[in-house]
Amino acid sequence: MDNETYAQPHHIEDVEIQEWLESLDSVLESSGPEVAAEILERLRAHATVSGIDLPFTANTPYANTIPVRLEPLFPGDQELERRIKSLIRWNALAMVVRANREEHNIGGHISTYASAATLYEVGFNHFFRARTPEFEGDTIYFQGHAAPGIYARAFMEGRISAQQLENFRRELKPGGGLSSYPHPWLMSDFWEFPTVSMGLSPLMAIYQARFNRYLENRGMKPATDAKVWAFLGDGETDEPESLGAITLASREHLDNLIFVVNCNLQRLDGPVRGNGQIIQELESAFRGARWNVIKVLWGSEWDPILERDTEGLLVKRMGELVDGEYQKLVVSSGAYVRQHFFGHDERLLKLVEPLPDEALRRLRLGGHDPRKVYAAYKAAVEHKGGPTVILARTIKGYGLGEAGEGKNVTHQQKKLNEDELREFRSRFGIPLNDDDCITVPFYRPAEDSIELQYLRSRREALGGYTPKRSVRSKPIAADHDELFKEFTEGSDEREVSTTMAFVAMLRKMLKDPEIGKLIVPIVPDEARTFGMESLFRTVGIYASGGQKYEPVDMNTLLLYKEAKDGQILEEGITEAGSMASFIAAGSAYATHGINTIPFFIYYSMFGFQRIGDFIWAAADMRTRGFLLGGTSGRTTLSGEGLQHQDGNSHVLALPVPNLKAYDPAFAYEIAVIVQDGIRRMYKDGENWFYYITVMNEPYAMPPMPSGVREGILKGMYKYRASANKKAKLKAQLFGSGAILNEVLHAQEMLEQKYSVAADVWSVTSYKELYVDAIETERWNRLNPGEKPRVPYVTRCLADAPGVFVAASDYLKTLPNMISKWMPRRLAALGTDGFGRSEGRTSLRDFFEVDAKFITLATLHELSADGKVDPKVVDKAIEDLGIVKTKPNPVTS
Ligand SMILES: Cc1ncc(C[n+]2csc(CCOP(=O)(O)OP(=O)(O)O)c2C)c(N)n1
Ligand SMILES: [Mg+2]
């Protein structure tokens, strides 16, 4: 656009503008908003064809979206609600101040809830419906840093004791305390959703809302008008995950989804957009994504002033300020506001002439006005066809006065001095005298007070208290031995990969009368990579609107079939979105009382490494299900190079406490792990979830030897003992995943060429072995008088002769971390380093994990024990064709 010509219009006569505005008003009055909108649309079209270059804007003016005349009556007792809210504010503040008096630096946040109190209280009193046996209830993601306010309300409700409040952030105190933020792992009958790692909850909420529809469209739960509410910070929206999936929400017409962004214009360090306007920026992003956007910027006190502004000057002025200026204005005196905001234009000054300075100071923002917030929420829950976002303007640290209201330091404010406490007390009318108030006691009115009666009656009307988490599903009944039996029988020399074996298992599970319906296959655009495309036809891809086109491959067996009741969640290229679906499906046993069993299969490198924080949140949430790391193994996935070839994920799986991680080599191992996993999670109700790596290297799957089931689950078992009982030289070789075949090959070489009798162990899980060992060690430490227990790995190897050599497709640290519990020294081979784009054989040579290197390592260990002459080892290097000067894979 040519700025010169557009931004500097000819002088427009005020009277001319006035005429246009008046005629629009009269159309609005006589014919209503639709006709007015139609006229504006036509004007716009006319302007365009007449050569007027109107700039694109996805924004509306800096004003409330809902005009006063469309505001509904506030149905509650506003005064009583204000009093209740004030007490909650006090208790939320008290818990943080007390905790920090008790223990310096224990932390906690006052200012987030201070800004959001009205946003929550209007929700609690009028909108948030609890889960009941009859109604699934609304699903609410509370802003993590607002947790003190949510606890303070639960205290008023009588659900949390004063002692628990006292022990906020000190969970280990006698009688228990409260976790810093929403953590279902720590408070499993209270919190449902972990939200404090910012950006995760908005994305999880979107996929949760979509999953609710999935359950409905698949006939697994009745359709209801239950909502998913997600409360976010405005600073939080800078996380790419926050806005990353908003087009999915509109594309899926998720009118069961409401975002409330607490726009206090501040984050931790300072303003979110000091030099811009975060609200307008968010509005255009959400409108562009076809969300219903409701701005709640100005409180009721502004309405009469706006009404006097017949020329639209005030709204124009409101849109001119950058957030940094607003941050200052909202905490300034009335005189300052008059001079710096209204003083800009004589006509604006005139608008507020009748108001004293004090009244100007008290002009509230929309997010602090229950009537405005109520109107927005009502419009949001009634909106049809798509998601709604409410952009509510608030002040960070509202009510903290000198202690931090609107100040850049407010996020970190945890202590108030005596004057500040008294001031806060007076401002919110807390019935505490000057002396009492500085001890910051928790305050709960009498059980029969009108405040508590009102609060209870509101919650009763909405079905009970929330948040509240409970496990509502019934355990599944069967063990499904028959289903998994086939996979323990071997593939009869037919070469298949563990991925193919898993997919065959999945196909069979999908047909099972009990669990078939419960299975939720999730793929981020990788179904073909894993050979799952036949499932498209058999169970269909979920498409909420059904398939609106004839697929190009209609006449083939493997057509791309989408259906309203399709079972596969084909998420497209979003591991984060797929993980959010996994979380929704894997926690449905609690959220919905439905035992959905998610199987999320993905390129393993893009799992823990890319979306590790979602996996951590899934763990916190007690999510159940199976993560399948496909195309795994740094040397097994060939050709793809360093960004795809995964030798890391089993190490990254270590920190997640309730995750079982397996690197199986054979189909029967997968069958045993999956069957046992389903039993533990869905029959016995244990809080685990599973990570299983599957590979794309085809080889014959052997039948399951007898007596190995327990070993598979515990992490290791002897797969093949040496047939040579007479050999003097002995070794124990440990292999995992596809590298087990290299180990088996080395076993032969060692026996045939070097007369070493080696036993081969399949190590299915270093993590299981490690966890067992550290637990055993701990038990022994705490029970010094008792007979010491022996870790499983030590027991396995108690009588195992010879040297120990381990090889896997992952970092060497995996075998090394259990070596201290082995009776003797261990040599560990693994795939530390970046790697190369290469074929499998070359990669295994490069990383030194193939049969040659396993043989070499074994001979070297024997030589270190004085059992083999070093010259033999040197000769072996030559015979095996190992190049000593080859690059070091760890550093090259
Ligand atoms: C992923 C992540 N990064 C950083 C933080 C640390 N942190 C906690 S609160 C906060 C500022 C929050 O600002 P905003 O989202 O605007 O919320 P407000 O408190 O202003 O409502 C930051 C940076 C976090 N919790 N999560
Ligand atoms: Mg903020």
Side-chain angles (χ1 to χ4, degrees), residues 112 115 143 232-236 261-268 270 272 394 396 411:
T112 300
S115 65
Q143 206 185 339
L232 340 176
D234 48 359
E236 181 175 13
V261 188
N262 175 16
C263 295
N264 52 28
L265 314 187
Q266 284 177 247
R267 43 179 163 70
L268 192 153
V272 181
T394 61
K396 190 145 179 169
H411 190 86

